[in-house]
Amino acid sequence: MAAQTLLVELGVEELPPGAINALSDSFADGIRRGLNEAGVAFEGTTAYSTPRRLAVRVEGLSDKQPDREVEKRGPALAAAFKDGQPTKAAEGFARSCGVSVDQLIHLETDKGTWLGFREQQQGEATTSLLPAILEKAVTSLPVPKNMRWGASRIEFSRPAHWFVVLYGDKVVPASVLGLNSGRTTFGHRFHAPQAIELAHADDYLKSLADAWVIADREERRSRILEQVLAEAELLDATAVIDEDLLDEVNGLVEWPVALTGNFDERFLEVPAECLVSSMKANQKYFHLLDDEGLLKPAFITISNIDSSEPEKVIAGNEKVIRPRLADAAFFYETDRKHKLADRFSGLANVVFQQKLGTLADKAARSANVAAHIARKIGGDEDKARRATQLAKCDLVTEMVLEFPELQGIMGRYYAEHDGEDAEVAKALEEQYLPRFAADEIPATRTGQALAIADRLDTLTGIFGIGQRPSGTKDPFALRRAAIGTLNIMIKGELDLDLRQLLELAVAQHKELPKAEGLVQEVLDYMLERFRAWSHDEGISAEVYLAVRARPVTTPLDFARRLRAVHLFASREEAAALAAANKRVSNILSKQEHDGSISVDASLLSEDAEKALYEAVTHCRDQVDPLFQNARYSDALDVLASLRAPVDAFFDQVMVMADDSAVRNNRLALLASLQALFLEVADIAELQQ
């Protein structure tokens, strides 16, 4: 029998849309892994999924495992025979192999000669291996939450109703979740609910398409996108495509049909973000913008049926969204009856962390740090303090309690309504930036000061009570807080010493059980985030280690050094100079050198050491002003010229001269050479 297509489909009740992609990929991975472990050849796999099914197609699946030669090793030859007769060890090994002793062979190894046995083992039929492979693939699925159904003890994400396993045109007997395999699948729940008998595994996609089901999730996703854009074009509008929403909607339908509805223009008086959150979170609608980027009183919904009366479906969606938007309008009007600043007292009732107090306590701690940062970066201290006081006030508003994703955004709207300073109001939204690695940073100095101070308070506080992140456990998102802080300082070109800021942040806490060594611990944790930052920038781990070896505590300076050493590492001279610095480091560490870099020129006798001394002296004069202005790349370009005199020195000069004065002078020369590079990084680490 030649290689055939294998089709596996598990039919279920509607799966959680957010879990479908992970379940589908895992199902395909499990089957692929099982086949690989069994040694069964196949050309490729494709995962399919809809809300009601997980399916995998395996193309060109061999009908059996390949035959293989099995070799077994028995006792050593010396232990297998005594006086020319087989011992019990030899006889026992022969019996285990199902042969007589004279049918065994001798195996020569580097450790001696052993009794052995070889046989040709025939591969098993693929159909006999599949039941165990499929059962393991199903039971290994990353189900977010199991449930039971009926009187059965079987558990899965949703009740399972059918199980298809076709190898070519043959059903492969197997069972999972209490279901026996067959060739029966089902189409769309409403358009084609009747059973479908699949004649061949290759008929799967067409048979379902004829039954109003698009099983290929990428094709279904593309259709949704095309339809949404087409509907928007009819209205001369721009559809805002949220990728997460697109994925979620894709997990809700088997036959997508885009429909456009409208809502009352009076709701446009409410901030657009409120309306959009309501439409996305509650109804899974795509919103529309006009030519000026303003929200239009319309939406696009994706229906799972192709109705003969689409106007009724649209009317139903319009009826549902109306009270949702009315709620948003009510929350907005209610919230504006109270000034944002008047809500600060309510923060005393909201616990930030049991051992760290309330949000009011957090604001009080952050205020001094934010004011200090504002002063350092040319901002306004009073604005920074005011923004810190108002920063979390919107968390106790009706709107944010209903839509938590609007925190900061609503703070800005309410602050503007109250007549707060424009920069203070903007900072309330900016405090949450950046939300991810490539996100924008706060544009205002007040926003930058607030964002950094708030994160440093969280980092020092959580570390200070002994809840450092471990593995995948990071409930307070400290990794994101650390990386966000670094990004603000780097992208904002803020010349801030992180150690000093951490010392100030720690000082704001009245009591921390893990206060000893806390500043250094948090500093090390934050600077370690540069490892991931470097990777994202295409900078090697060796370059990171070279810079990390130096006591640099200003993130902006750290990043400048990383980029400079990264460029230097690509130069032809870099490898030789890195090796030389490694050699210098080894020499100095082994000798009782006092660390002096003061060289006595009168003690220089060899031409090579004189040349190196002159080159180092000349370079120092050139690079000192470059170091002072953080022009590290330019400085390393100058230092690259040292390669030739360094190579000549090590080729022609004996460092460990008999005369102690000469020896110490040469060590000082090497130390002065090393010191030049250490102004940027320990480039010896590039040898790792």
Side-chain angles (χ1 to χ4, degrees):
M1 183 178 180
Q4 297 280 335
T5 299
L6 171 70
L7 172 70
V8 182
E9 183 192 54
L10 179 62
V12 295
E13 292 187 14
E14 278 76 1
L15 291 162
I20 291 177
N21 288 355
L23 290 171
S24 177
D25 292 341
S26 179
F27 196 26
D29 288 343
I31 292 175
R32 185 164 50 244
R33 185 165 51 250
L35 293 173
N36 284 329
E37 289 173 355
V40 181
F42 59 94
E43 295 175 2
T45 59
T46 306
Y48 301 113
S49 61
T50 76
R52 299 178 67 212
R53 70 200 75 231
L54 300 172
V56 178
R57 170 190 168 102
V58 183
E59 297 87 10
L61 179 63
S62 175
D63 62 343
K64 64 187 287 291
Q65 292 173 313
D67 296 340
R68 57 179 181 153
E69 186 177 70
V70 178
E71 182 178 282
K72 297 180 182 179
R73 194 174 77 173
L77 195 61
F81 295 94
K82 185 176 182 181
D83 299 330
Q85 297 301 313
T87 62
K88 289 184 178 180
E91 292 173 345
F93 176 63
R95 280 195 302 273
S96 71
C97 296
V99 297
S100 61
V101 174
D102 59 2
Q103 291 177 286
L104 297 175
I105 62 174
H106 292 182
L107 297 177
E108 300 289 342
T109 73
D110 56 355
K111 294 184 179 180
T113 304
W114 308 74
L115 274 188
F117 177 71
R118 288 196 190 100
E119 67 174 343
Q120 197 73 12
Q121 192 175 80
Q122 288 191 331
E124 288 189 57
T126 299
T127 52
S128 68
L129 298 168
L130 281 174
I133 292 173
L134 298 181
E135 182 179 14
K136 184 176 180 181
V138 171
T139 56
S140 299
L141 289 175
V143 176
K145 188 174 182 180
N146 276 316
M147 64 178 293
R148 295 177 183 169
W149 58 95
S152 171
R153 304 288 295 178
I154 295 171
E155 293 185 350
F156 193 59
S157 178
R158 294 293 185 270
H161 293 303
W162 72 86
F163 184 44
V164 175
V165 185
L166 279 179
Y167 183 56
D169 60 355
K170 306 295 184 185
V171 173
V172 179
S175 62
V176 298
L177 303 178
L179 298 170
N180 293 323
S181 60
R183 62 173 72 246
T184 304
T185 186
F186 292 84
H188 193 282
R189 185 183 291 279
F190 305 110
H191 287 303
Q194 62 275 14
I196 302 169
E197 298 296 312
L198 295 171
H200 195 282
D202 289 333
D203 297 339
Y204 182 65
L205 290 180
K206 184 178 185 308
S207 296
L208 285 185
D210 291 342
W212 300 76
V213 173
I214 303 172
D216 187 327
R217 76 182 185 216
E218 292 304 322
E219 179 186 348
R220 197 168 62 250
R221 192 178 191 275
S222 295
R223 286 203 189 187
I224 293 171
L225 181 58
E226 290 172 5
Q227 291 182 29
V228 168
L229 296 178
E231 287 289 307
E233 189 174 356
L234 293 175
L235 295 175
D236 290 327
T238 300
V240 179
I241 306 299
D242 182 301
E243 296 296 323
D244 290 337
L245 177 61
L246 185 58
D247 285 335
E248 187 172 8
V249 170
N250 192 30
L252 290 169
V253 298
E254 293 194 317
W255 191 266
V257 177
L259 301 171
T260 300
N262 298 283
F263 58 84
D264 295 342
E265 287 195 27
R266 65 184 177 88
F267 290 124
L268 294 179
E269 297 175 6
V270 179
E273 293 91 341
C274 305
L275 305 181
V276 170
S277 286
S278 184
M279 287 190 281
K280 285 170 59 177
N282 296 317
Q283 304 308 130
K284 318 305 177 190
Y285 295 162
F286 295 92
H287 62 282
L288 300 166
L289 304 179
D290 61 20
D291 291 341
E292 297 180 1
L294 301 176
L295 187 67
K296 288 181 70 71
F299 60 85
I300 297 174
T301 182
I302 304 299
S303 174
N304 192 35
I305 59 173
D306 192 355
S307 175
S308 59
E309 298 179 294
E311 64 278 0
K312 290 186 177 180
V313 179
I314 293 171
N317 279 277
E318 291 175 340
K319 183 178 180 181
V320 170
I321 194 60
R322 193 174 300 116
R324 297 287 190 182
L325 300 184
D327 285 345
F330 174 76
F331 295 147
Y332 184 57
E333 290 301 321
T334 301
D335 287 340
R336 292 197 300 171
K337 291 178 181 178
H338 303 278
K339 286 185 176 295
L340 191 63
D342 293 341
R343 297 182 182 274
F344 183 80
S345 58
L347 298 183
N349 300 316
V350 182
V351 176
F352 166 58
Q353 203 283 336
Q354 187 176 10
K355 296 180 180 179
L356 297 174
T358 65
L359 288 179
D361 297 326
K362 181 176 176 59
R365 291 193 302 264
S366 301
N368 290 333
V369 181
H372 173 82
I373 294 171
R375 183 170 65 252
K376 284 282 190 179
I377 63 177
D380 186 300
E381 292 184 55
D382 291 335
K383 290 181 181 179
R385 289 186 181 278
R386 183 63 173 173
T388 306
Q389 182 186 21
L390 299 177
K392 308 302 178 187
C393 290
D394 67 346
L395 297 181
V396 291
T397 63
E398 296 293 334
M399 185 70 80
V400 175
L401 288 172
E402 179 70 17
F403 301 108
E405 67 274 14
L406 294 179
Q407 57 187 295
I409 295 172
M410 297 315 301
R412 172 174 63 83
Y413 276 113
Y414 295 147
E416 289 172 345
H417 177 264
D418 294 344
E420 295 284 351
D421 178 86
E423 184 167 321
V424 169
K426 189 172 183 181
L428 302 188
E429 181 175 3
E430 291 181 326
Q431 66 178 302
Y432 297 102
L433 299 176
R435 289 156 295 196
F436 47 88
D439 198 13
E440 61 185 12
I441 66 166
T444 66
R445 291 305 193 201
T446 301
Q448 291 168 352
L450 171 58
I452 294 173
D454 183 60
R455 287 169 168 86
L456 293 185
D457 177 78
T458 300
L459 283 158
T460 54
I462 300 302
F463 269 76
I465 59 173
Q467 293 193 18
R468 179 189 177 109
S470 59
T472 57
K473 189 177 180 182
D474 187 12
F476 285 88
L478 299 187
R479 291 184 184 87
R480 189 164 69 237
I483 292 173
T485 301
L486 297 179
N487 274 323
I488 293 171
M489 292 181 178
I490 295 166
K491 294 179 181 178
E493 297 191 345
L494 307 181
D495 189 16
L496 294 169
D497 188 304
L498 194 52
R499 181 186 293 279
Q500 293 177 3
L501 294 183
L502 289 171
E503 289 172 349
L504 180 60
V506 170
Q508 306 310 306
H509 293 272
K510 294 180 180 178
E511 183 179 355
L512 289 171
K514 303 287 184 180
E516 187 176 351
L518 177 59
V519 169
Q520 188 62 49
E521 182 183 13
V522 179
L523 178 63
D524 288 341
Y525 177 82
M526 295 186 72
L527 293 180
E528 181 65 22
R529 299 313 105 197
F530 265 115
R531 188 185 295 270
W533 185 90
S534 299
H535 181 270
D536 293 341
E537 294 280 317
I539 297 173
S540 71
E542 290 78 16
V543 169
Y544 162 77
L545 292 172
V547 177
R548 186 72 176 89
R550 304 302 299 139
V552 182
T553 58
T554 302
L556 177 60
D557 194 50
F558 200 110
R560 287 170 173 166
R561 292 167 186 259
L562 281 172
R563 289 166 175 153
V565 178
H566 172 63
L567 290 174
F568 173 75
S570 64
R571 293 184 63 119
E572 180 184 351
E573 302 91 343
L577 286 170
N581 271 267
K582 185 72 171 178
R583 187 173 179 181
V584 169
S585 179
N586 290 336
I587 291 172
L588 294 176
S589 65
K590 292 176 182 178
Q591 303 304 316
E592 296 181 358
H593 180 61
D594 60 7
S596 170
I597 60 172
S598 178
V599 179
D600 184 346
S602 66
L603 292 176
L604 301 174
S605 58
E606 303 284 344
D607 289 341
E609 65 179 331
K610 292 178 180 177
L612 180 59
Y613 172 70
E614 291 174 2
V616 168
T617 303
H618 178 67
C619 282
R620 183 181 295 112
D621 292 339
Q622 288 184 282
V623 299
D624 278 349
L626 298 177
F627 289 145
Q628 292 172 13
N629 291 286
R631 293 171 56 186
Y632 300 117
S633 187
D634 292 339
L636 286 172
D637 284 343
V638 173
L639 296 182
S641 65
L642 290 171
R643 177 185 176 179
V646 168
D647 287 347
F649 177 87
F650 280 118
D651 286 343
Q652 302 170 29
V653 178
M654 174 67 71
V655 177
M656 307 310 295
D658 293 335
D659 186 319
S660 61
V662 173
R663 180 171 65 249
N664 289 332
N665 200 53
R666 289 173 179 173
L667 291 174
L669 176 57
L670 293 181
S672 67
L673 167 68
Q674 183 188 53
L676 281 177
F677 286 94
L678 288 179
E679 288 285 348
V680 183
D682 184 356
I683 69 165
E685 291 289 344
L686 299 180
Q687 282 284 295
Q688 297 295 322

